[in-house]
């Protein structure tokens, strides 16, 4: 496979972003290899209804 | 190295937090790691040294990645310039990058665990039935 890329004029006006969050990338430029991963855990057992018990103390 | 020049006239960022950064200029390697244990409590009392990442599997389990297959790419930069007039970003957090310029390899990982703790101040159904739960009575007395 031969992959040819020709970059011609790239002109952007205004960019407005509210948030860049949880392993994300806002890039103005070139890159070779990008690997972004994010895990977010809120299972049912994360909602604890009961007496006040602190998390394990370190 | 890919060689295009990035040109930004005006950039405004409100906040950068939790393992994130803003890079102006080229870079080669970026590695970002972030672990967060977010606990929300109805009664906001926290010990300073609470919480242990090792107690939760999410902070240690491997994240599967797709296979990286390098493809031969031929790039011709006819106009080696990327122009942006204005960038306005409110916030950037949790292993994130705002990058003006070229880079080579980027690797980022964010692991977030959310816990919500609510106080049960109403007697449980078991308590109403007579088999009183000492846990719920303790919770209501502590309030």
């Amino acid at each position: 496979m031969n992959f040819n890329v020709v970059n011609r004029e790239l002109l952007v006006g205004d960019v407005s972003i509210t948030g860049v969050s949880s392993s994300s990338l806002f890039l103005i430029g070139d890159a070779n290899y990008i690997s972004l991963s994010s895990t977010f855990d809120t299972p049912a057992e994360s909602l604890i209804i009961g007496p006040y018990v602190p998390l394990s103390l370190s | 190295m890919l060689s295009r020049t990035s040109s930004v006239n005006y950039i405004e960022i409100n906040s950068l937090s939790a393992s994130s950064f803003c890079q102006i200029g080229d870079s080669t390697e970026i590695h970002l790691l972030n672990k967060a244990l977010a606990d929300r409590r109805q009664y906001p009392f926290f010990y300073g040294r609470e919480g242990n990442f090792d107690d939760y599997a999410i902070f240690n389990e491997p994240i599967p990645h797709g296979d990286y297959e390098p493809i031969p790419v031929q790039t011709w930069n006819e106009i080696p310039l990327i122009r942006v007039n204005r960038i306005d970003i409110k916030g950037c957090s949790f292993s994130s990058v705002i990058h003006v310029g070229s880079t080579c390899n980027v690797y980022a990982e964010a692991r977030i665990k959310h816990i919500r703790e609510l106080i049960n101040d109403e007697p449980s159904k078991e308590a109403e039935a007579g088999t009183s739960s000492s846990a719920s009575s303790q919770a209501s007395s502590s309030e």
Side-chain angles (χ1 to χ4, degrees):
Chain A
M1 194 173 108
N2 213 354
F3 187 46
N4 286 301
V5 178
V6 180
N7 290 318
R8 297 203 172 89
E9 190 175 24
L10 182 53
L11 176 64
V12 180
D14 294 4
V15 181
S16 177
I17 297 170
T18 303
V20 184
S21 182
S22 290
S23 127
S24 39
L25 170 70
F26 175 59
L27 175 70
I28 300 150
D30 299 302
N32 183 34
Y33 173 71
I34 298 171
S35 169
L36 307 169
S37 52
S38 169
T39 55
F40 188 89
D41 191 24
T42 25
E45 58 266 33
S46 285
L47 178 66
I48 302 163
I49 302 172
Y52 172 81
V53 180
L55 302 177
S56 64
L57 299 171
S58 56
Chain B
M1 188 79 190
L2 301 151
S3 54
R4 272 202 292 178
T5 305
S6 304
S7 155
V8 179
N9 278 341
Y10 183 90
I11 186 162
E12 186 178 317
I13 300 166
N14 250 26
S15 77
L16 279 169
S17 66
S19 185
S20 60
F21 69 91
C22 174
Q23 162 90 10
I24 295 167
D26 293 353
S27 65
T28 49
E29 285 280 329
I30 298 172
H31 285 248
L32 299 150
L33 289 172
N34 182 254
K35 288 179 180 179
L37 182 59
D39 190 0
R40 299 189 70 183
R41 286 191 179 140
Q42 188 181 3
Y43 184 69
F45 180 77
F46 296 89
Y47 291 99
R49 55 202 173 85
E50 254 182 84
N52 208 336
F53 288 134
D54 296 332
D55 294 347
Y56 307 98
I58 184 181
F59 296 112
N60 296 309
E61 67 190 2
I63 298 173
H65 291 276
D67 291 334
Y68 173 55
E69 245 183 87
I71 300 164
V73 184
Q74 254 129 30
T75 310
W76 168 243
N77 296 320
E78 206 171 273
I79 298 172
L81 184 66
I82 301 168
R83 279 171 62 195
V84 181
N85 180 42
R86 189 193 164 98
I87 298 165
D88 197 334
I89 296 169
K90 293 274 181 290
C92 177
S93 72
F94 293 117
S95 289
S96 311
V97 195
I98 295 161
H99 200 292
V100 181
S102 295
T103 182
C104 200
N105 300 324
V106 183
Y107 178 83
E109 200 180 283
R111 291 164 186 262
I112 302 160
K113 166 85 177 170
H114 261 231
I115 300 168
R116 289 170 186 84
E117 289 186 56
L118 302 174
I119 292 168
N120 184 14
D121 53 356
E122 284 179 24
S124 64
K125 283 176 185 173
E126 289 167 355
E128 280 172 13
T131 57
S132 70
S133 157
S134 60
S136 64
S137 63
Q138 272 176 10
S140 55
S141 65
S142 68
E143 278 187 295

